[in-house]
PDB file of all heavy atoms in Angstrom:
ATOM      1  N   ALA A 251    -107.460  13.670 -37.081  1.00 97.00           N
ATOM      2  CA  ALA A 251    -108.114  14.856 -37.621  1.00 97.00           C
ATOM      3  C   ALA A 251    -107.033  15.656 -38.317  1.00 97.00           C
ATOM      4  O   ALA A 251    -105.972  15.903 -37.751  1.00 97.00           O
ATOM      5  CB  ALA A 251    -108.741  15.683 -36.503  1.00 97.00           C
ATOM      6  N   SER A 252    -107.290  16.017 -39.537  1.00 94.00           N
ATOM      7  CA  SER A 252    -106.328  16.859 -40.242  1.00 94.00           C
ATOM      8  C   SER A 252    -106.514  18.288 -39.728  1.00 94.00           C
ATOM      9  O   SER A 252    -107.386  18.551 -38.909  1.00 94.00           O
ATOM     10  CB  SER A 252    -106.566  16.783 -41.747  1.00 94.00           C
ATOM     11  OG  SER A 252    -107.899  17.154 -42.020  1.00 94.00           O
ATOM     12  N   ALA A 253    -105.676  19.197 -40.173  1.00 90.00           N
ATOM     13  CA  ALA A 253    -105.792  20.579 -39.723  1.00 90.00           C
ATOM     14  C   ALA A 253    -107.196  21.100 -40.045  1.00 90.00           C
ATOM     15  O   ALA A 253    -107.717  20.866 -41.123  1.00 90.00           O
ATOM     16  CB  ALA A 253    -104.721  21.432 -40.410  1.00 90.00           C
ATOM     17  N   ARG A 254    -107.817  21.792 -39.105  1.00 80.00           N
ATOM     18  CA  ARG A 254    -109.160  22.369 -39.258  1.00 80.00           C
ATOM     19  C   ARG A 254    -110.205  21.351 -39.724  1.00 80.00           C
ATOM     20  O   ARG A 254    -110.957  21.595 -40.665  1.00 80.00           O
ATOM     21  CB  ARG A 254    -109.121  23.540 -40.241  1.00 80.00           C
ATOM     22  CG  ARG A 254    -108.823  24.881 -39.582  1.00 80.00           C
ATOM     23  CD  ARG A 254    -108.723  25.993 -40.583  1.00 80.00           C
ATOM     24  NE  ARG A 254    -107.586  25.799 -41.475  1.00 80.00           N
ATOM     25  CZ  ARG A 254    -106.327  26.035 -41.143  1.00 80.00           C
ATOM     26  NH1 ARG A 254    -106.037  26.490 -39.960  1.00 80.00           N
ATOM     27  NH2 ARG A 254    -105.352  25.844 -42.000  1.00 80.00           N
ATOM     28  N   SER A 255    -110.270  20.238 -39.051  1.00 89.00           N
ATOM     29  CA  SER A 255    -111.245  19.216 -39.446  1.00 89.00           C
ATOM     30  C   SER A 255    -112.545  19.387 -38.674  1.00 89.00           C
ATOM     31  O   SER A 255    -112.602  20.053 -37.645  1.00 89.00           O
ATOM     32  CB  SER A 255    -110.686  17.824 -39.163  1.00 89.00           C
ATOM     33  OG  SER A 255    -111.108  17.383 -37.898  1.00 89.00           O
ATOM     34  N   GLY A 256    -113.605  18.763 -39.185  1.00 91.00           N
ATOM     35  CA  GLY A 256    -114.898  18.799 -38.531  1.00 91.00           C
ATOM     36  C   GLY A 256    -114.888  18.094 -37.180  1.00 91.00           C
ATOM     37  O   GLY A 256    -115.616  18.470 -36.266  1.00 91.00           O
ATOM     38  N   THR A 258    -112.593  18.057 -34.907  1.00 96.00           N
ATOM     39  CA  THR A 258    -112.163  18.923 -33.806  1.00 96.00           C
ATOM     40  C   THR A 258    -113.243  19.962 -33.506  1.00 96.00           C
ATOM     41  O   THR A 258    -113.319  20.459 -32.387  1.00 96.00           O
ATOM     42  CB  THR A 258    -110.812  19.601 -34.096  1.00 96.00           C
ATOM     43  OG1 THR A 258    -110.915  20.315 -35.322  1.00 96.00           O
ATOM     44  CG2 THR A 258    -109.701  18.578 -34.211  1.00 96.00           C
ATOM     45  N   ALA A 281    -100.231  13.516 -41.606  1.00 96.00           N
ATOM     46  CA  ALA A 281    -101.091  14.694 -41.802  1.00 96.00           C
ATOM     47  C   ALA A 281    -102.432  14.488 -41.101  1.00 96.00           C
ATOM     48  O   ALA A 281    -103.080  15.442 -40.689  1.00 96.00           O
ATOM     49  CB  ALA A 281    -101.305  14.940 -43.286  1.00 96.00           C
ATOM     50  N   MET A 282    -102.838  13.243 -40.956  1.00 97.00           N
ATOM     51  CA  MET A 282    -104.136  12.921 -40.351  1.00 97.00           C
ATOM     52  C   MET A 282    -104.131  13.086 -38.829  1.00 97.00           C
ATOM     53  O   MET A 282    -105.150  12.898 -38.179  1.00 97.00           O
ATOM     54  CB  MET A 282    -104.543  11.493 -40.708  1.00 97.00           C
ATOM     55  CG  MET A 282    -105.114  11.372 -42.099  1.00 97.00           C
ATOM     56  SD  MET A 282    -106.515  12.489 -42.336  1.00 97.00           S
ATOM     57  CE  MET A 282    -105.965  13.407 -43.754  1.00 97.00           C
ATOM     58  N   SER A 283    -102.979  13.400 -38.252  1.00 97.00           N
ATOM     59  CA  SER A 283    -102.952  13.651 -36.814  1.00 97.00           C
ATOM     60  C   SER A 283    -102.663  15.113 -36.493  1.00 97.00           C
ATOM     61  O   SER A 283    -102.650  15.497 -35.324  1.00 97.00           O
ATOM     62  CB  SER A 283    -101.917  12.744 -36.130  1.00 97.00           C
ATOM     63  OG  SER A 283    -102.404  11.414 -36.061  1.00 97.00           O
ATOM     64  N   VAL A 284    -102.464  15.927 -37.506  1.00 97.00           N
ATOM     65  CA  VAL A 284    -102.113  17.334 -37.286  1.00 97.00           C
ATOM     66  C   VAL A 284    -103.194  18.053 -36.472  1.00 97.00           C
ATOM     67  O   VAL A 284    -102.912  18.743 -35.497  1.00 97.00           O
ATOM     68  CB  VAL A 284    -101.873  18.050 -38.635  1.00 97.00           C
ATOM     69  CG1 VAL A 284    -101.792  19.556 -38.453  1.00 97.00           C
ATOM     70  CG2 VAL A 284    -100.587  17.545 -39.287  1.00 97.00           C
ATOM     71  N   GLY A 285    -104.451  17.874 -36.873  1.00 97.00           N
ATOM     72  CA  GLY A 285    -105.554  18.538 -36.175  1.00 97.00           C
ATOM     73  C   GLY A 285    -105.719  18.018 -34.757  1.00 97.00           C
ATOM     74  O   GLY A 285    -106.041  18.777 -33.840  1.00 97.00           O
ATOM     75  N   ALA A 286    -105.492  16.721 -34.579  1.00 97.00           N
ATOM     76  CA  ALA A 286    -105.595  16.120 -33.248  1.00 97.00           C
ATOM     77  C   ALA A 286    -104.555  16.746 -32.316  1.00 97.00           C
ATOM     78  O   ALA A 286    -104.862  17.163 -31.196  1.00 97.00           O
ATOM     79  CB  ALA A 286    -105.394  14.606 -33.346  1.00 97.00           C
ATOM     80  N   GLU A 288    -102.927  19.582 -32.728  1.00 97.00           N
ATOM     81  CA  GLU A 288    -103.231  21.009 -32.566  1.00 97.00           C
ATOM     82  C   GLU A 288    -104.262  21.217 -31.462  1.00 97.00           C
ATOM     83  O   GLU A 288    -104.139  22.119 -30.631  1.00 97.00           O
ATOM     84  CB  GLU A 288    -103.818  21.562 -33.865  1.00 97.00           C
ATOM     85  CG  GLU A 288    -102.904  22.485 -34.621  1.00 97.00           C
ATOM     86  CD  GLU A 288    -103.491  22.849 -35.976  1.00 97.00           C
ATOM     87  OE1 GLU A 288    -104.730  22.782 -36.156  1.00 97.00           O
ATOM     88  OE2 GLU A 288    -102.702  23.182 -36.878  1.00 97.00           O
TER      89      GLU A 288
END
Side-chain angles (χ1 to χ4, degrees):
Chain A
S252 56
R254 271 177 295 283
S255 94
T258 56
M282 281 304 124
S283 286
V284 168
E288 251 173 24

